[in-house]
Amino acid sequence: MDSKKRNRHEQKPVPTGEEPLQQVPSASKADDEQDRRADMAKLARRRAAHFAHFKGDDDADNAADNVHTGSNEARTLGPWSSAVELVNARQKAQAAREDKLQGRAVAAVNGEEDPAQPVPKIQWSPTRDVSQGPRPGPSAIPALFTLCLTVLNEYVDCIDSLVGVPDTIRIKLAAFVCSKRRMSKEVAQLFAQGAPAEVVLPDCHHLDAVSMTDLVQECVTYRLERLELGSCGRGFGDSQAQHLTKLGTLHAMSQLSLGGAYRLSDQGLEQALTVLSALSSLKLAQCSRLTGSVIERLPSLLPILRHLDLHDCRGIAPEALISALPGLSQLQDLRLDGMHQVEDDVMSAIARMYSLRALGISYTQVCHKLYMIPVTLFGVSDQKFDFTLFPTMDRHQIIPIPYVRTSYLFLHNDKVSDVGLSSVAAGCPGLQALYMDECLKITDAGLLALSSGCKYLTVLSARRCTKLSDEALASVVQRGTLQRLLVSGVHGCGVRTMQALALNCKECLEHLDVSFCRGVTEQALGLVADSCRLLSNLVVFGCSHVGNTFLHGHSNDRLSEVIGIGTILAN
């Protein structure tokens, strides 16, 4: 048996460079066992020496490139050493990315580089000691008025009457109650009693047709000046609109807003507008049954109309807009967001409205989704709660809490082009606010026409208009009148636009949104923050290259909070 084992060990392959072991004859079993152990020890030493001192197959010239030879350029093997190497190279890689972004000019259409126009570098250094950390934020102690609203909302079912309470306080209380989902039929009657001049209920989805009828009958008086009912589609229809006419012409009423009234038809709305000839503001967002016949009659029904909101009214034909809009000679604010009917012909009709000051043709829809978040008895989410710290507590003590999360459904408008925008810029020289999110066919030509035609533009929202370049945006900024600039998702936005803001909008810029604009460097944002002293709102979602150097290093005390820092998604 011993001889067989020894022969098996002797037949194993020997590493390269080793000599085979010499067999030593033995006269007894004891000598054989001793010799076998000695041979195995020698074999183990030789193999250990082989793996401890690796010799490659190449010549000595290639030894310096071999990580096993122990040269100065060698990288220590192992996961820890690899992680340390990546951490040490992080700053170098970030600097290389910033140099690439600064040295590349993004073209308007295809994003190719233009070596003839190199992007200038911005030399900016922190003007505040970064080691001081974040600035003190706003006080976490709520205002006394907010505490009062909280108490009133908690016991709103116990309130007998709001008669004598000023309308401004009623409006704030109603908004607070609606935000807490407590606007029931009885609570809604409180805000309609006492013949108030203003009735503003942002969320009426709890009110059915009977409750809405009682509410309208109670609040419609000769003193009523403003009526706003949000999310009122469940209860507001043609029969409720007819109750607006029970007292005849309401000369004092100037504002009417019916949000989400999907049961309201053209006939019902026209019947109500016959007694509201003094209206200056009409908001009909998401009224899906409107087809356009009542829109064509708006110039004769509402001769002094100044604000018109048809957001997401998709049933209105473009021919009705083309026919009605030029006749609204005093209209100053027009919102056509979310309407696929808006095209170049409609834009040409809008261009004949010389008094227009604000225009919205964005195509972004707001969606409200209901989620169930698990909350423990300690107010901590189940996913973040460590049950090992509380062995007596089980997961059956989880309480599902509903909450509403606002998200955005990004569609796009491919019907409005540079031709329509150029016609508006030429026909509406007094335009001050333009919202054109998701208009993918608008390029630099339309934006340059807007820059030359509308010299008093204070608000420009061009989110996800992907064909706009840095040079075209800079030409609009150079007018020096912008107060709000929203260019989220415009990849062409970069250093030139930021330089124009810092140079020309020092005394007016208040809000800036450059989310997902990777061409806007940290140094460019620092220059804007230090130069524009009125800047108080900055949104940088998706800008992972913006860090503490800017956040703690700029000197603008009004800019105490930067939204989206260190995050990727906006919702």
Side-chain angles (χ1 to χ4, degrees), residues 343-344 347 414-422 441-443 446:
E343 52 190 15
D344 286 343
M347 296 291 285
D414 56 357
K415 297 181 180 180
V416 177
S417 64
D418 295 332
V419 177
L421 185 60
S422 300
K441 293 185 68 175
I442 294 180
T443 64

Side-chain angles (χ1 to χ4, degrees), residues 44-277:
R45 292 191 187 97
R46 291 181 181 179
R47 291 193 174 184
H50 166 75
F51 288 108
H53 304 283
F54 176 76
K55 294 181 180 180
D57 296 336
D58 298 336
D59 298 333
D61 297 337
N62 298 330
D65 298 332
N66 197 325
V67 296
H68 297 281
T69 59
S71 61
N72 295 331
E73 301 296 332
R75 176 176 63 86
T76 305
L77 296 178
W80 172 259
S81 300
S82 301
V84 171
E85 182 180 356
L86 293 175
V87 170
N88 294 334
R90 183 179 300 169
Q91 295 181 353
K92 183 178 179 180
Q94 182 178 359
R97 288 195 301 268
E98 292 181 356
D99 292 341
K100 183 179 179 180
L101 290 172
Q102 290 182 354
R104 180 181 59 189
V106 181
V109 179
N110 51 14
E112 297 179 352
E113 296 185 357
D114 185 9
Q117 297 181 355
V119 177
K121 282 191 175 183
I122 292 181
Q123 301 296 334
W124 175 83
S125 58
T127 54
R128 178 179 177 267
D129 189 3
V130 180
S131 62
Q132 294 182 4
R135 294 172 173 80
S139 177
I141 302 176
L144 180 59
F145 184 75
T146 304
L147 295 176
C148 295
L149 290 180
T150 304
V151 174
L152 290 175
N153 173 72
E154 184 176 359
Y155 299 100
V156 67
D157 296 334
C158 303
I159 299 177
D160 293 332
S161 176
L162 292 177
V163 176
V165 179
D167 291 337
T168 55
I169 298 180
R170 285 192 180 202
I171 293 173
K172 294 181 179 180
L173 179 59
F176 196 87
V177 172
C178 289
S179 66
K180 303 301 180 181
R181 304 278 179 169
R182 304 197 62 184
M183 184 58 68
S184 60
K185 172 185 177 181
E186 294 76 16
V187 176
Q189 287 293 327
L190 294 175
F191 297 97
Q193 295 172 357
E198 299 182 2
V199 177
V200 181
L201 304 180
D203 190 355
C204 301
H205 76 279
H206 285 302
L207 304 182
D208 55 11
V210 178
S211 302
M212 186 64 69
T213 301
D214 297 339
L215 176 68
V216 173
Q217 291 178 344
E218 183 70 26
C219 68
V220 173
T221 61
Y222 289 111
R223 294 188 67 252
L224 186 62
E225 300 176 2
R226 178 186 179 188
L227 177 61
E228 294 188 7
L229 303 176
S231 302
C232 61
R234 179 186 178 189
F236 198 95
D238 291 347
S239 60
Q240 287 72 27
Q242 186 178 2
H243 287 287
L244 293 175
T245 65
K246 66 176 184 177
L247 298 180
T249 304
L250 302 178
H251 298 283
M253 192 166 178
S254 60
Q255 301 181 39
L256 176 63
S257 176
L258 301 174
Y262 56 84
R263 297 172 58 238
L264 182 63
S265 65
D266 293 82
Q267 293 76 17
L269 178 61
E270 183 176 355
Q271 186 178 5
L273 294 182
T274 55
V275 298
L276 302 175
S277 58

Side-chain angles (χ1 to χ4, degrees), residues 404-420:
V404 174
R405 176 179 175 183
T406 301
S407 58
Y408 298 90
L409 179 62
F410 298 131
L411 305 176
H412 64 273
N413 187 339
D414 56 357
K415 297 181 180 180
V416 177
S417 64
D418 295 332
V419 177

Side-chain angles (χ1 to χ4, degrees), residues 184-379:
S184 60
K185 172 185 177 181
E186 294 76 16
V187 176
Q189 287 293 327
L190 294 175
F191 297 97
Q193 295 172 357
E198 299 182 2
V199 177
V200 181
L201 304 180
D203 190 355
C204 301
H205 76 279
H206 285 302
L207 304 182
D208 55 11
V210 178
S211 302
M212 186 64 69
T213 301
D214 297 339
L215 176 68
V216 173
Q217 291 178 344
E218 183 70 26
C219 68
V220 173
T221 61
Y222 289 111
R223 294 188 67 252
L224 186 62
E225 300 176 2
R226 178 186 179 188
L227 177 61
E228 294 188 7
L229 303 176
S231 302
C232 61
R234 179 186 178 189
F236 198 95
D238 291 347
S239 60
Q240 287 72 27
Q242 186 178 2
H243 287 287
L244 293 175
T245 65
K246 66 176 184 177
L247 298 180
T249 304
L250 302 178
H251 298 283
M253 192 166 178
S254 60
Q255 301 181 39
L256 176 63
S257 176
L258 301 174
Y262 56 84
R263 297 172 58 238
L264 182 63
S265 65
D266 293 82
Q267 293 76 17
L269 178 61
E270 183 176 355
Q271 186 178 5
L273 294 182
T274 55
V275 298
L276 302 175
S277 58
L279 277 183
S280 62
S281 176
L282 178 61
K283 299 179 181 180
L284 302 171
Q286 297 179 341
C287 294
S288 55
R289 286 192 63 188
L290 300 181
T291 60
S293 61
V294 66
I295 303 299
E296 295 178 350
R297 295 202 56 195
L298 283 182
S300 58
L301 293 173
L302 306 176
I304 61 173
L305 189 65
R306 292 183 175 85
H307 304 276
L308 177 61
D309 186 358
L310 300 177
H311 174 75
D312 207 14
C313 293
R314 301 188 178 185
I316 299 177
E319 293 77 13
L321 296 174
I322 296 174
S323 174
L325 292 179
L328 300 173
S329 58
Q330 299 190 28
L331 195 66
Q332 298 180 358
D333 188 355
L334 177 61
R335 300 302 175 93
L336 302 177
D337 304 293
M339 297 181 62
H340 64 276
Q341 303 92 326
V342 179
E343 52 190 15
D344 286 343
D345 294 338
V346 177
M347 296 291 285
S348 300
I350 296 174
R352 296 157 59 185
M353 306 170 65
Y354 185 82
S355 60
L356 194 65
R357 296 294 179 266
L359 174 62
I361 55 173
S362 300
Y363 212 66
T364 302
Q365 293 182 337
V366 181
C367 303
H368 302 282
K369 296 182 180 180
L370 182 65
Y371 293 82
M372 298 299 291
I373 179 172
V375 178
T376 67
L377 297 180
F378 294 90

Side-chain angles (χ1 to χ4, degrees), residues 124-137 526 530 548-557 559-560:
W124 175 83
S125 58
T127 54
R128 178 179 177 267
D129 189 3
V130 180
S131 62
Q132 294 182 4
R135 294 172 173 80
D530 288 345
N548 291 334
T549 302
F550 162 75
L551 188 62
H552 305 326
H554 66 83
S555 60
N556 191 346
D557 294 332
L559 189 61
S560 59

